[in-house]
Amino acid sequence: MKVRTRYAPSPTGFFHIGGARTALFNYLFTKHNNGTFICRIEDTDIERNVEGGIESQLNNLDWLKITPDESVRTPGEFPPYVQTQKLKRYQDLANQLLKEGKAYYCFCTKEELQTQREEALKQGNTPKYNRKCLHLSKVEIEQKLKDKVPAVIRLKMTDNVDIKWKDLIRGLMVVPTSALTDPVILKSNGIPMYNFAVVVDDFDMQITHVLRGEEHISNTPYQIAIKEALGFDKQLIEYGHLSIIVDESGKKLSKRNSELKQFIEDYKQMGFIPEAITNFLSLLGWSPKNTTEIMPTAEIVKQFDIDRVSKAPAFFDFKKMLWIGNEYVKALSDEQYLKWVSPFIKFDRASFINEQILNIALLIFKPQISYASQINELVTSTFLSVNFHNLPKEMQNIVASDNFQKCIKTLAIVLSSFNEITLENGNEVVNKVKDATGLKGKDLYFPIRFVAIAREHGPEMNKILTIVGKTQILKNIKLLEK
């Protein structure tokens, strides 16, 4: 059977790092096996759905270039791709299980269920439903339904059997039904519970492999039991549960306990190259056979092997993310780099003489940035925050020294002999000052750099002189002359 996987987010939030890793691993596994990658929306938790949640998921999948083959945007032959559009299907199947005696009505109130739970905990037992409503007579059930007493439908679990599956990542998993409860499959309002809807959808969409986070391990035995009750067990589904992602403190990555940004949208707004994020996410729990970690998505697809996916927690190393981001930036051509970084500029472009000079300034930082919005702090602090007021006493003494003054006054004379400063003649300016003063080393370079950008260290001298320009440097010299 052709491999068919699914990423099935709920629109109760935006595209989280954990969800992105799950989507990516499904995509990589599917494409490695020439299969079909599906995105369906599990929106039955209606009260928690957020506006824009579906768009966030799909837009960011597109941005990461792991676009589903089938989704609400590109439907395939197994619609619908949104759960609330097939409520009757779930209701009909739940009622079918009722008729077959595999499920039953439960009329217990929230208060009763809470009391049962508290009593079980007091006795040191795992809370589970006591099956009170399983033993209601047909007459009692009909009367309660006639009286419109709210009722859910519960699956009757088979007693004293083991539910087993061979996990693609964790090996043989065994859960005895004695550790499980009779799960609700349909709420009183006709909305299916998560585990029931998932089983129906996976069957209807002919899903062959389910890769998801380890928090779903507890759901798997229920889903297998539901699948068997519905007679869907002839359709083989293989399950694989990915490890959790942890922050530097070892805690599960969560917006409640981590300073790391949690959503793909955050990194998009920061200006990361999407392929860099995809590359980084692929290494969260998977290791390639070779030692090269910088790989385009096509190469990751080619190498992806489910047997090399680890069940150990994956560390979200932001420093590594920055390194990968920087590698992708450095691989851009200068033209690609300028086009990529330009939309993220927030400083005033008019601060520079012209667009060509601005581009020279932008390109200076290409070797060191990991994401585009970093350009603002780098350019601003280097070229747009020049301030000669309130200099520290030690710096005032250096500025007043004979060598410093001789250097900048000579620089003023030399600059006056040039129409404009360019990358080609910038070093000539420096050499003329050197020849006229006899200064060299720090005595030569420090005053020139400081009078241009008020910094001891910075880019190459010809670039500094070209970017700041003759006019502004002459103004700065007047401020520092003694």
Side-chain angles (χ1 to χ4, degrees):
M1 184 179 292
K2 183 178 181 180
V3 168
R4 288 176 60 84
T5 67
R6 45 76 165 180
Y7 169 59
S10 61
T12 54
F14 297 101
F15 199 34
H16 187 270
I17 284 290
R21 195 270 302 259
T22 297
L24 176 62
F25 277 41
N26 276 279
Y27 176 89
L28 295 173
F29 177 80
T30 305
K31 296 307 174 184
H32 181 80
N33 291 285
N34 299 311
T36 302
F37 174 51
I38 299 156
C39 179
R40 71 166 183 251
I41 304 299
E42 299 183 345
D43 64 337
T44 54
D45 193 353
I46 296 172
E47 292 181 357
R48 293 181 59 224
N49 292 344
V50 299
E51 186 177 351
I54 295 176
E55 290 74 17
S56 170
Q57 298 283 343
L58 295 174
N59 290 343
N60 282 296
L61 282 172
D62 286 344
W63 182 70
L64 290 172
K65 296 180 175 58
I66 53 174
T67 301
D69 301 300
E70 298 177 18
S71 70
V72 293
R73 291 179 176 173
T74 54
E77 56 183 308
F78 302 101
Y81 292 84
V82 179
Q83 285 185 335
T84 51
Q85 295 176 8
K86 56 185 295 186
L87 294 181
K88 188 175 186 302
R89 168 72 168 157
Y90 307 126
Q91 294 162 3
D92 288 347
L93 288 172
N95 285 318
Q96 174 187 312
L97 293 179
L98 277 175
K99 292 176 183 178
E100 295 173 352
K102 297 176 181 177
Y104 59 94
Y105 284 113
C106 176
F107 300 93
C108 293
T109 64
K110 289 182 180 179
E111 291 73 22
E112 288 178 285
L113 295 173
Q114 182 61 30
T115 299
Q116 289 179 31
R117 175 180 175 80
E118 291 172 356
E119 187 61 32
L121 291 172
K122 281 182 184 178
Q123 296 177 8
N125 298 324
T126 301
K128 55 191 297 187
Y129 181 58
N130 64 10
R131 287 185 162 178
K132 171 185 173 182
C133 291
L134 174 62
H135 307 294
L136 294 176
S137 68
K138 185 176 180 181
V139 173
E140 288 176 304
I141 293 171
E142 289 178 350
Q143 186 60 50
K144 286 180 180 292
L145 292 174
K146 183 179 179 181
D147 294 341
K148 296 184 177 179
V149 177
V152 300
I153 297 177
R154 288 183 182 272
L155 180 75
K156 181 185 176 184
M157 296 290 288
T158 303
D159 293 328
N160 302 316
V161 298
D162 288 336
I163 296 177
K164 304 177 183 179
W165 74 95
K166 187 177 180 181
D167 198 279
L168 291 166
I169 297 168
R170 297 162 191 273
L172 181 64
M173 306 287 284
V174 181
V175 180
T177 54
S178 59
L180 305 174
T181 189
D182 287 353
V184 175
I185 58 175
L186 197 72
K187 293 188 280 190
S188 59
N189 61 2
I191 301 293
M193 293 296 287
Y194 167 76
N195 281 326
F196 188 65
V198 162
V199 170
V200 175
D201 291 344
D202 286 345
F203 177 79
D204 289 349
M205 292 181 167
Q206 298 187 11
I207 300 302
T208 62
H209 297 79
V210 173
L211 298 178
R212 55 191 179 187
E214 70 174 43
E215 66 272 15
H216 285 285
I217 290 176
S218 60
N219 289 322
T220 304
Y222 287 113
Q223 291 174 16
I224 292 173
I226 292 169
K227 186 171 70 166
E228 291 176 350
L230 288 169
F232 293 170
D233 46 315
K234 290 182 181 179
Q235 178 182 322
L236 177 64
I237 294 181
E238 295 190 68
Y239 298 92
H241 293 89
L242 307 172
S243 64
I244 61 170
I245 302 174
V246 298
D247 60 21
E248 59 184 8
S249 67
K251 295 180 180 177
K252 182 180 177 182
L253 197 64
S254 167
K255 58 186 177 183
R256 291 185 294 273
N257 63 11
S258 175
E259 294 181 359
L260 289 169
K261 294 183 182 295
Q262 299 295 300
F263 300 101
I264 293 298
E265 190 68 32
D266 292 326
Y267 297 103
K268 182 179 179 180
Q269 296 300 322
M270 290 167 71
F272 273 92
I273 294 174
E275 290 86 350
I277 299 295
T278 300
N279 195 157
F280 171 75
L281 290 175
S282 74
L283 301 173
L284 290 178
W286 170 73
S287 56
K289 288 182 180 179
N290 61 31
T291 56
T292 301
E293 293 188 311
I294 304 300
M295 294 178 287
T297 304
E299 179 61 25
I300 299 172
V301 166
K302 184 178 178 180
Q303 287 204 38
F304 191 79
D305 182 351
I306 196 68
D307 291 335
R308 297 186 66 83
V309 175
S310 173
K311 61 184 178 181
F315 171 45
F316 189 101
D317 186 347
F318 187 65
K319 290 181 180 177
K320 185 171 185 177
M321 189 176 184
L322 291 174
W323 172 72
I324 291 176
N326 178 243
E327 290 296 307
Y328 274 81
V329 173
K330 290 188 293 188
L332 297 174
S333 68
D334 287 353
E335 184 180 358
Q336 290 172 325
Y337 167 81
L338 292 171
K339 184 178 180 181
W340 164 68
V341 81
S342 183
F344 292 87
I345 293 175
K346 292 183 178 179
F347 55 80
D348 186 2
R349 291 171 178 263
S351 302
F352 294 88
I353 299 168
N354 54 45
E355 195 74 11
Q356 183 181 3
I357 298 300
L358 169 60
N359 289 343
I360 294 171
L362 297 176
L363 285 165
I364 283 174
F365 303 104
K366 180 184 173 184
Q368 66 191 85
I369 71 172
S370 299
Y371 53 91
S373 61
Q374 281 180 306
I375 199 68
N376 294 295
E377 170 60 24
L378 291 168
V379 169
T380 300
S381 62
T382 304
F383 297 111
L384 306 181
S385 300
V386 176
N387 184 2
F388 298 115
H389 301 291
N390 301 316
L391 294 176
K393 186 66 176 177
E394 181 181 358
M395 184 57 68
Q396 290 181 33
N397 292 336
I398 294 174
V399 169
S401 68
D402 292 341
N403 281 344
F404 190 99
Q405 288 294 312
K406 180 168 65 171
C407 184
I408 65 172
K409 288 176 181 178
T410 305
L411 175 62
I413 296 169
V414 171
L415 286 174
S416 298
S417 66
F418 285 81
N419 290 327
E420 62 177 347
I421 311 302
T422 66
L423 294 178
E424 290 71 29
N425 66 22
N427 287 329
E428 185 184 348
V429 171
V430 177
N431 288 331
K432 283 183 176 293
V433 174
K434 178 182 178 181
D435 293 341
T437 61
L439 297 172
K440 58 183 179 180
K442 188 174 181 180
D443 287 339
L444 172 69
Y445 292 107
F446 174 75
I448 297 175
R449 182 174 284 113
F450 190 81
V451 80
I453 59 174
R455 292 163 69 101
E456 183 176 355
H457 303 287
E460 298 96 319
M461 197 67 76
N462 66 327
K463 293 180 180 179
I464 291 175
L465 297 176
T466 302
I467 292 166
V468 179
K470 169 183 172 179
T471 301
Q472 186 60 52
I473 295 174
L474 288 172
K475 289 180 181 178
N476 293 350
I477 290 172
K478 286 186 177 182
L479 291 174
L480 295 178
E481 273 186 321
K482 301 297 181 183

